[in-house]
Structure formats: C-alpha cells, structure tokens
Amino acid sequence: MGKGGYYAVRNGRSKGVYGDWSNCEQQVKGHPGAQFKRFDTLAAANAYMSGGSSGQGSSSSSSSSSRSSYGSGSGSSSSYSRSSYGGGSRSSYSNNYSSFSHGTPSSRSNFSSNYHSAPSYSTQKNSKNYSSRSSSSYSGSNSGNYYAVKSNNPSIPDKIFNNWSECQSYTKGQRGLSFKKFDSIESSKNFISGNTDSADYGFIGSDASTFASNHRAPRSKTVRKEQIYCDGSSLNNGRGNAAAGIGVHFRNGTSKDVAAPLDGDLQTNNRAELQAAKTALDTAYSSLKAGENIDYTLHTDSEYVAKLLNDRYSSYTPEQLNLMPNSDIVKPLIKSFAQVKQYYKANPETFGSKKFEVDWVKGHNGQEGNEIADELARKGASMK
C-alpha cells in the first residue's frame, strides 16, 4: 500500500474501511457525528472498526460548530461541518486522487453563497447527454491561477474560476464534480474537454495510426445501443471476514450478465467497484474488436470510478499512479477505458462523433439497471 493508507469509517453514511480518501469523504462529509480515521495498515483499520482505539492514525470526527481541515499526517485531527469545510493543510495522501490535490491555499477560505458573480468559463450541458457541450467564453482577470471545474452533473455547468474561494463556493456539497488548478486557461479548457489522446495511447502501448488501422469497425452492420451497469459489493466490508463481488448488467442483452467473486486477499468495496468497471469495459472492448457495432454507455454509482476515468487519470504521473491505493487494478482499468474510448474515436464513419465517458448514477435510488447490478454484485460476493 502506498501513501493512501486505509480510511476506517466508524460512523457515517456507510460504515467500513475504504482504500482511498475520495470514497471515505463521501461517507462522512456533512454526516452528523461522523467518526473516521486513517491508518497505514488494514489490520489497524479493522481493529478501530471493532472498537479499538489505535493511536497510529489521523482521526476525525464531526461537529456542527467546527470547520474541517485536511490532516497533514499521522496524529493530525480534523472535524466536519455541514456548512463549510476549509482548505487548510493538505494531507500527504490527497495528491494522489483527491479533488483537493491541486490549488488549495494554505490558509482557510470561507465559502461564499453568491458564487454567480464569480468570473468564469462555463459550458451548458444537454440534459439528455452529459457530455454535450456548447461554445463558451472566459471572462476575468489573468491572475495566473485557474481552477477548472468539470461536471458530470447535468444540472451544473462546467466552469473555470481564477479565484479559489469562488471555486470552493461553487463545488461545495455538490456531487459529480471534479476540479483542479492550472496555470493557463488552455490547460483548464483541455481538462474540461477531456483531451486525453496522448495519455490514452501511452496506457494502450500504441500510437494513434497503428491503433486505428488495427481497429476498423465494419460499416455494413447496424449500430446497436447498449447500457451497461456495473457495481461492486463487499459483505462485512472492512472486517477480516469480508467477501466482495462484482456485478455487470447489460440492459439490452448484448452480453451475458456477470456475477462473480472478487479475486485476491483484499476484499474491499472499492476494489470491487474498480474491478466491476474493468470487467464491463473488457467485455465491451472484446465485442467491438470482434466486429460488433455497439454503442455502449457505462453507468456506475461509484463517483470515484467516474471521476477517475472521466477527469483525472490523464493528469497523473506514473509515480503517482504507482502510489495510488489499488494501483494493481487502477492501471489496467485505465488501459481498458482508453481502448474503448479510442476505438470509438478511430471509427467516426460508424459511430459519428461519439465521446465515450462513464455516467455516474446515484446508488440505491430506484434506477432499475443499477439495482440489478447491485444485486449481481451481492450474489458474486456470496460466492466467495
């Protein structure tokens, strides 16, 4: 395990041990009385979940009257508030995968409720297509610092700010947003547009022309549409007897649904979510390579997976990827995503201008495809 460590949530929306801060944060941020702690080892995290009080970790708890700050290492503490959270000292693990890894000032910033006055670059989304973007412009002073917000939330447009506090205000408490600091407006726009070609072919291990020549879609076949829902589940997550599984549901029946146990000794929900997405992508890629013209859309209720694949992976260095929790799954997952994404891009005659992205859906919200994938994942976990 690299710098990420393990995050034990004793009291939150979903109790358990998480392999990264992003998923831990989703369980505790704004949750009254949240209790969570970071540990260097899974055993220590499990002991804390069982009621122990190890002093190794960075502990945190919720308080309605306090503002949170990110801990900078072992022994540091922080508290969460419903109304605000600060951009204080950065943690040693946040630079690998947290939205707050870039551009957080060293001093705390209060949130402003009037973010509409902020100078920003913005794009409006088609409510039926999250990746549809209209032309846009940027206005504001050239401070040299730009904070790009990329949205997978259809009700919130992408924006670029040149003021960190305004960026905080815009993103506070919102789901489906990723943001990052850049030193130029062009880099900020590239982050929002998702131009990842160079990074993609690095993961694939090929150049664009070779990949395109080896991945020609047949033009004589009708294009079918398929909605894939993937999910991971860990029974007794965070405990020594945890058993995890993956579920993949093909809504239109172009492939068989998958319910399978998670391989390996570390049976966490996060690893299952990552592996479920990889299994879905590998199935899609195999069908495309076999000459099936299928327009896939991949849905997941893991915000971490959606942000990783839609927004973040192209900005990580190899060293950062190697240090990430679950890097043994993350790196192959990124390759699988890049292959599907570039397959569509290499075949505009068949698929048009399709931009392949992952659609984040809210879990346990009555969406049938997601509920079926969740059931399949639980079934897979029971096979362990």
Side-chain angles (χ1 to χ4, degrees), residues 112-125:
S112 165
S113 60
N114 184 23
Y115 58 75
H116 296 289
S117 62
S120 63
Y121 159 97
S122 65
T123 62
Q124 298 295 329
K125 297 181 185 296

Side-chain angles (χ1 to χ4, degrees), residues 56 63 86 89 120 135 163 224 337 384:
Q56 300 176 22
S63 169
S89 59
S120 63
S135 60
N163 180 289
R224 295 179 290 163
F337 176 74
K384 193 71 178 176

Side-chain angles (χ1 to χ4, degrees), residues 91-378:
S91 72
S92 61
Y93 47 85
S94 67
N95 63 340
N96 287 329
Y97 44 79
S98 168
S99 298
F100 298 90
S101 60
H102 301 275
T104 309
S106 58
S107 60
R108 292 183 177 181
S109 301
N110 291 328
F111 282 107
S112 165
S113 60
N114 184 23
Y115 58 75
H116 296 289
S117 62
S120 63
Y121 159 97
S122 65
T123 62
Q124 298 295 329
K125 297 181 185 296
N126 183 319
S127 61
K128 295 183 180 179
N129 184 348
Y130 291 11
S131 63
S132 174
R133 307 174 191 275
S134 63
S135 60
S136 53
S137 61
Y138 170 82
S139 62
S141 62
N142 294 322
S143 65
N145 293 328
Y146 300 90
Y147 303 91
V149 179
K150 183 176 181 181
S151 174
N152 290 299
N153 185 329
S155 64
I156 303 175
D158 303 326
K159 285 198 175 185
I160 298 175
F161 299 91
N162 62 3
N163 180 289
W164 167 242
S165 63
E166 298 289 356
C167 178
Q168 280 185 309
S169 177
Y170 191 70
T171 56
K172 177 202 169 188
Q174 301 293 348
R175 304 295 296 270
L177 303 182
S178 291
F179 50 96
K180 189 173 179 181
K181 177 187 174 185
F182 296 92
D183 57 9
S184 72
I185 189 68
E186 290 305 318
S187 296
S188 300
K189 289 181 179 180
N190 286 338
F191 173 74
I192 287 177
S193 67
N195 187 355
T196 62
D197 290 356
S198 178
D200 286 349
Y201 288 114
F203 284 107
I204 293 171
S206 176
D207 59 81
S209 60
T210 301
F211 182 88
S213 65
N214 292 333
H215 295 80
R216 293 297 182 192
R219 300 187 188 181
S220 58
K221 291 186 177 181
T222 302
V223 176
R224 295 179 290 163
K225 291 185 177 293
E226 179 61 280
Q227 306 291 319
I228 311 178
Y229 290 84
C230 63
D231 202 1
S233 177
S234 179
L235 306 179
N236 298 315
N237 187 39
R239 300 187 181 276
N241 63 340
I246 65 171
V248 183
H249 172 54
F250 295 86
R251 199 82 182 111
N252 298 328
T254 58
S255 295
K256 291 184 178 180
D257 286 354
V258 176
L262 178 67
D263 292 332
D265 296 330
L266 191 56
Q267 297 286 298
T268 68
N269 187 75
N270 288 346
R271 290 180 67 84
E273 294 277 12
L274 292 163
Q275 185 59 54
K278 184 180 185 304
T279 299
L281 289 165
D282 288 345
T283 303
Y285 181 59
S286 294
S287 296
L288 293 170
K289 281 190 66 179
E292 297 293 329
N293 285 349
I294 303 176
D295 182 350
Y296 287 105
T297 300
L298 179 61
H299 307 272
T300 178
D301 62 9
S302 169
E303 191 171 4
Y304 171 61
V305 170
K307 287 183 177 181
L308 171 70
L309 298 180
N310 287 341
D311 308 334
R312 298 176 178 171
Y313 72 90
S314 62
S315 65
Y316 293 142
T317 66
E319 292 76 16
Q320 286 175 321
L321 284 171
N322 288 333
L323 289 172
M324 287 182 69
N326 305 313
S327 63
D328 59 314
I329 302 179
V330 168
K331 291 190 290 185
L333 168 63
I334 293 172
K335 178 180 178 180
S336 297
F337 176 74
Q339 288 175 150
V340 175
K341 181 178 181 179
Q342 292 300 329
Y343 184 92
Y344 287 121
K345 192 166 185 177
N347 291 281
E349 301 87 354
T350 303
F351 298 102
S353 59
K354 175 181 175 61
K355 183 178 179 181
F356 184 69
E357 290 187 319
V358 178
D359 175 41
W360 175 76
V361 296
K362 186 176 181 179
H364 309 292
N365 197 40
Q367 190 165 39
E368 187 175 8
N370 182 248
E371 296 297 334
I372 293 174
D374 177 69
E375 183 178 344
L376 290 167
R378 291 176 180 274

